[in-house]
Structure formats: structure tokens, C-alpha cells
């Protein structure tokens, strides 16, 4: 069965993250404004996850605040100050708490706390036509359930055996293995698959998000 929820993955991964759902809800804003420009007039709600620049592009947020002064932004408490400093009117910023349901008319939103190297949220988003869960940049999804959702947008960052072999080779050569930080801060494909298989029902759709890519410069892992 086709998914009833329209999803447009503008970008996912360390180079930038932004997903538009049903034309009106954007999760993450970590891309240049030119990537959002064809769609931004229809967006009613922006859900922000965490502070890393590939998920929170301050210049793009600033432009959105200027071009769409009534646009609503929702985030956790640790992002409120940064969002306001981008020029978003504080009256348009909703500070969300985990595991509570927030009603926006076009959808209901439930933030879920994720395990990363900075405070981070994922989101359950319930539309009249179906339910979505979005979770990236997390070591695990322990204690989180999303039974019979229509769309799963879940990080599948690396294959366990492949990344452990890279770590072994680099350590043996006396090199810094940035992959150790990837393992600490991101979800493996096996953990992603396990979560999906435990939760997905008939007709559900899933997309692997934030898949790991080799970097030329490996000084920082987000």
C-alpha cells in the first residue's frame, strides 16, 4: 500500500538535514535556504531537533523568520535562546517537553528524547492521514515504541561489522579512528532494522536516514 503521508527529504546526513511532511511541516533546518525556497511558503511548522549545524542552519532560520514572520518553530528548551537569536519572535517559539502531545491543528506532535553528544529530540508526528516517527543522531531507541506507524524515518548510519573493521585497522596503524565517535553518537543499521521490524505493521513504509559517508576531514563528528 502507498504511504498516505507525503514526504520530501531535501537532505539527510552530515552535509545537511531537512524533511518536509505533507507540505506543511518541516523537521530539521540544516540546509541552505535555496534548498527550502521552492517549498517554504506552504510550511506552517518547523520542528527543530538539536544544535548541530547540519540540523540547525542559523542563516536559514534567520531568513525564514524574516520572510515568514508568523511561522511557528517548535524545539526543546536548549534551543529556544538560539532560535530567538536568529530573529524568530519569541511568541512564535514553542518550547516542547518530551513525551507530551502538542496539538497544532494540521498535526499532533510528540517529542522523544534521543541519545546523542548534545541534547536531542526525535518526533512522533500524527497527521489525520497517518503517523510518522523521525529519529536521527542517536545511539539507541531504547524505551521508544511506534507501533503500526505509516512512515518511519530512522537513522541507519553504519554497518556494525564494517565500521568495527575500520576502527581496528586505524588503531593498528596508530591513527585516530573517528568512527569510535560515530558508534557512540549514531544509530547502526542493525538497531534501526530491529526497531522497524518490532514496530512496523501492514502497509507501513520506512526510509533509512543519515547514512554514514566517509569524510575527507574527520576532526569533528556530528
Amino acid at each position: 500500500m502507498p504511504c498516505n503521508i507525503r514526504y520530501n527529504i531535501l537532505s539527510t546526513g552530515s552535509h545537511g538535514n531537512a524533511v518536509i511532511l505533507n507540505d506543511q511541516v518541516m523537521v530539521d533546518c540544516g540546509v541552505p535556504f535555496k534548498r527550502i525556497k521552492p517549498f517554504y511558503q506552504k510550511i506552517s511548522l518547523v520542528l527543530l531537533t538539536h544544535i548541530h549545524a547540519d540540523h540547525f542552519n542559523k542563516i536559514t532560520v534567520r531568513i525564514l523568520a524574516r520572510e515568514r514572520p508568523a511561522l511557528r518553530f517548535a524545539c526543546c528548551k536548549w534551543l529556544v535562546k538560539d532560535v530567538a537569536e536568529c530573529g524568530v519572535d519569541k511568541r512564535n517559539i514553542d518550547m516542547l517537553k518530551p513525551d507530551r502531545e502538542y496539538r497544532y491543528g494540521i498535526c499532533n506532535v510528540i517529542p522523544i528524547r534521543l541519545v546523542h553528544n548534545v541534547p536531542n529530540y526525535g518526533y512522533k508526528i500524527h497527521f489525520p492521514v497517518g503517523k510518522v516517527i523521525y529519529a536521527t543522531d542517536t545511539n539507541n531507541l531504547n524505551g521508544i515504541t511506534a507501533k503500526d506507524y505509516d512512515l518511519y524515518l530512522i537513522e541507519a548510519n553504519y554497518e556494525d561489522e564494517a565500521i568495527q573493521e575500520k576502527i581496528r585497522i586505524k588503531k593498528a596503524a596508530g591513527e585516530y579512528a573517528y568512527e569510535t565517535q560515530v558508534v557512540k553518537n549514531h544509530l547502526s543499521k542493525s538497531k534501526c532494522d530491529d526497531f522497524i521490524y518490532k514496530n512496523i505493521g501492514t502497509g507501513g513504509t520506512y526510509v533509512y536516514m543519515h547514512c554514514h559517508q566517509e569524510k575527507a576531514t574527520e576532526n569533528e563528528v556530528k
Side-chain angles (χ1 to χ4, degrees):
M1 293 176 61
C3 181
N4 291 326
I5 299 169
R6 296 185 302 279
Y7 59 96
N8 186 349
I9 301 172
L10 302 184
S11 183
T12 182
S14 58
H15 51 284
N17 296 269
V19 176
I20 297 176
L21 302 170
N22 278 356
D23 301 324
Q24 291 183 286
V25 178
M26 184 165 70
V27 187
D28 276 332
C29 186
V31 296
F33 179 72
K34 64 181 180 181
R35 298 292 301 275
I36 298 171
K37 190 174 181 179
F39 316 102
Y40 82 105
Q41 292 286 3
K42 292 184 178 181
I43 296 171
S44 301
L45 174 65
V46 179
L47 299 172
L48 299 170
T49 60
H50 64 288
I51 191 62
H52 284 155
D54 57 327
H55 294 258
F56 180 40
N57 185 313
K58 293 183 178 181
I59 295 175
T60 301
V61 172
R62 185 175 299 277
I63 295 172
L64 283 173
R66 184 188 68 213
E67 298 295 321
R68 296 283 312 282
L71 182 61
R72 298 213 68 79
F73 290 79
C75 60
C76 42
K77 64 181 180 180
W78 49 83
L79 278 180
V80 170
K81 181 175 180 289
D82 294 276
V83 176
E85 288 177 350
C86 289
V88 178
D89 190 319
K90 289 184 178 180
R91 293 171 295 183
N92 293 335
I93 304 174
D94 298 326
M95 187 180 75
L96 308 183
K97 295 183 179 181
D99 304 317
R100 297 190 182 184
E101 187 167 10
Y102 297 86
R103 300 178 183 273
Y104 282 96
I106 57 173
C107 65
N108 295 345
V109 174
I110 303 171
I112 48 178
R113 193 182 296 275
L114 300 179
V115 182
H116 196 42
N117 57 3
V118 297
N120 185 25
Y121 273 172
Y123 290 101
K124 297 177 181 179
I125 307 164
H126 298 177
F127 293 98
V129 296
K131 298 185 289 187
V132 186
I133 180 170
Y134 176 97
T136 70
D137 284 36
T138 185
N139 173 266
N140 63 72
L141 294 171
N142 297 346
I144 298 171
T145 59
K147 285 287 187 181
D148 299 319
Y149 271 46
D150 299 275
L151 178 60
Y152 297 81
L153 301 174
I154 307 294
E155 178 176 48
N157 195 276
Y158 58 89
E159 296 275 4
D160 289 289
E161 291 185 6
I163 203 165
Q164 291 300 334
E165 178 64 10
K166 289 177 182 178
I167 292 171
R168 185 192 68 77
I169 291 171
K170 287 187 176 182
K171 286 186 174 180
E175 299 175 0
Y176 170 67
Y178 83 101
E179 288 88 353
T180 57
Q181 296 302 313
V182 174
V183 172
K184 289 180 181 179
N185 298 312
H186 294 277
L187 197 70
S188 69
K189 183 177 179 295
S190 63
K191 289 180 181 179
C192 171
D193 287 341
D194 184 61
F195 179 82
I196 290 171
Y197 295 154
K198 285 180 178 177
N199 286 277
I200 197 169
T202 304
T205 299
Y206 64 90
V207 179
Y208 291 141
M209 303 290 287
H210 212 301
C211 298
H212 177 65
Q213 296 179 348
E214 292 295 330
K215 295 183 178 181
T217 303
E218 299 169 353
N219 295 326
E220 182 179 3
V221 178
K222 295 180 178 179

